């Protein structure tokens, strides 16, 4: 019998997949003060794009690898932990043989340093490396590529479509397994980055509403917007003074200037079958 992996952490939310949907979901759950971890393997499919367009807030489009960097920064800024690795199995905590604590519903087996393949954060155990560890979570957002094999132990309802398998959900991210949510391509959403980001956010808000965390809006308002009308500031909202608003505006402007000061230095990706490079990187220009 193989040795059980070492439990390296227990979280309220585990997000499998660090692409657009997963990072969007993690930003919202972490911002709602839910202890959140994202596990990602390799580069998200978005990184293969030459230039992302039709994305709100970027009228001339944006480098996809830069956009992913910005998303990662947003997730960590709000408190999410990011881990590199591939989730090869997700089981109910009661079946994992690991003492994960009374609040944990799930235990994920993660391959440390496994970064190949197309799946954002999950993959087939046939790519296994010897070093594995476990993460436990009360709730899981599956936001990986459309390969649900790592979820087989949970027996969630799925739909096969050729080489792809999609998780069935209720339209707001809840799957047929309590505590397991789906977002992005794994939930058979459209490919567009804005759709993936929105779906990750919607799934996260569904998850937040299913917890005991009070939540109304993720909304920052001018000082007095609620209180000067004799109302309490709703959960998940914040009132800020004009001084604080200006400080946040200056901070956001400085951050954007830094992000866009120089072209992104990573090499363009394409489909790995088209180039002699295991990561699908195109040759650098002379």
């Amino acid at each position: 019998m193989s040795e059980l992996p070492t439990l390296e952490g227990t979280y309220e939310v585990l997000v499998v997949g660090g692409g657009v949907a997963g990072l969007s979901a993690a930003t919202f759950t972490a911002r709602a003060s839910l202890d959140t971890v994202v596990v990602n393997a390799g580069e998200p499919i978005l990184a293969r794009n030459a230039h992302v367009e039709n994305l709100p807030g970027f009228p001339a489009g944006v480098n996809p690898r830069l956009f992913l960097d910005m998303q990662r920064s947003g997730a960590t800024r709000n408190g999410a932990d990011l881990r590199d690795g591939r989730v090869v199995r997700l089981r109910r905590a009661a079946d994992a043989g690991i003492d994960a604590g009374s609040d944990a519903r799930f235990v994920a087996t993660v391959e440390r340093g496994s970064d190949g393949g197309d799946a954002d954060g999950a993959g087939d155990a046939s790519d296994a490396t010897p070093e594995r560890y476990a993460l436990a979570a009360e709730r899981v957002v599956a936001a990986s590529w459309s390969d649900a094999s790592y979820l087989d132990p949970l027996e969630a309802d799925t739909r096969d479509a050729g080489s792809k398998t999609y998780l069935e959900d209720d339209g707001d991210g809840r799957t047929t397994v309590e505590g397991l949510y789906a977002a992005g391509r794994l939930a058979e959403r459209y490919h567009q980055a804005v759709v993936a980001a929105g779906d990750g956010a919607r799934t996260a808000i569904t998850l937040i509403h299913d917890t005991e965390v009070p939540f109304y809006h993720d909304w920052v308002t001018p000082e007095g917007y609620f209180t000067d009308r004799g109302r309490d500031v709703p959960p998940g909202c914040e009132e800020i003074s004009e001084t604080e608003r200006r400080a946040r505006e200056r901070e956001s402007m400085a951050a954007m200037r830094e992000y866009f000061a120089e072209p992104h230095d990573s090499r363009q990706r394409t489909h790995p079958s088209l180039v002699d490079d295991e990561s699908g990187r195109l040759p650098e220009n002379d």
Side-chain angles (χ1 to χ4, degrees), residues 16-87:
V16 182
V20 176
L23 290 170
S24 179
T27 298
F28 273 81
T29 59
R31 191 169 164 84
S33 298
L34 292 171
D35 194 18
T36 300
V37 62
V38 180
V39 177
N40 183 72
E43 279 197 317
I45 296 297
L46 183 72
R48 294 181 185 173
N49 280 233
H51 196 68
V52 180
E53 302 191 347
N54 298 332
L55 190 62
F58 298 90
V62 63
N63 179 297
R65 291 157 296 284
L66 175 61
F67 179 65
L68 287 165
D69 286 349
M70 296 170 76
Q71 271 205 291
R72 293 183 190 105
S73 179
T76 56
R77 179 186 177 91
N78 282 286
D81 292 337
L82 304 184
R83 287 177 176 249
D84 292 326
R86 183 176 296 280
V87 175

Side-chain angles (χ1 to χ4, degrees), residues 120-198:
D120 301 336
D124 193 292
S126 61
D127 296 328
T129 58
E131 188 176 10
R132 292 183 171 186
Y133 67 96
L135 294 173
E138 184 177 353
R139 290 175 169 84
V140 173
V141 177
S144 54
W145 187 239
S146 46
D147 174 6
S149 58
Y150 67 101
L151 299 169
D152 286 349
L154 299 179
E155 298 181 336
D157 286 355
T158 59
R159 189 183 81 80
D160 291 330
S163 63
K164 298 177 176 61
T165 301
Y166 300 107
L167 270 175
E168 299 280 8
D169 77 300
D170 66 352
D172 287 320
R174 298 182 186 90
T175 72
T176 54
V177 175
E178 186 176 0
L180 175 65
Y181 302 79
R185 287 304 295 154
L186 193 61
E188 205 171 357
R189 305 298 190 248
Y190 293 121
H191 281 277
Q192 284 75 15
V194 62
V195 175

Side-chain angles (χ1 to χ4, degrees), residues 263-278:
H264 200 273
D265 59 5
S266 68
R267 285 165 61 185
Q268 173 69 63
R269 262 56 167 174
T270 187
H271 196 281
S273 67
L274 299 176
V275 292
D276 186 21
D277 183 277
E278 63 183 11

Side-chain angles (χ1 to χ4, degrees), residues 223-258:
E223 188 173 37
Y225 186 92
F226 294 104
T227 53
D228 285 356
R229 292 184 292 141
R231 295 180 56 189
D232 293 333
V233 179
C237 295
E238 181 183 12
E239 289 186 350
I240 61 172
S241 67
E242 177 62 12
T243 300
E244 176 63 17
R245 185 199 67 77
R246 289 182 178 275
R248 295 190 189 188
E249 181 181 47
R250 287 192 294 270
E251 183 180 13
S252 69
M253 292 170 66
M256 295 300 281
R257 283 193 295 268
E258 182 176 353

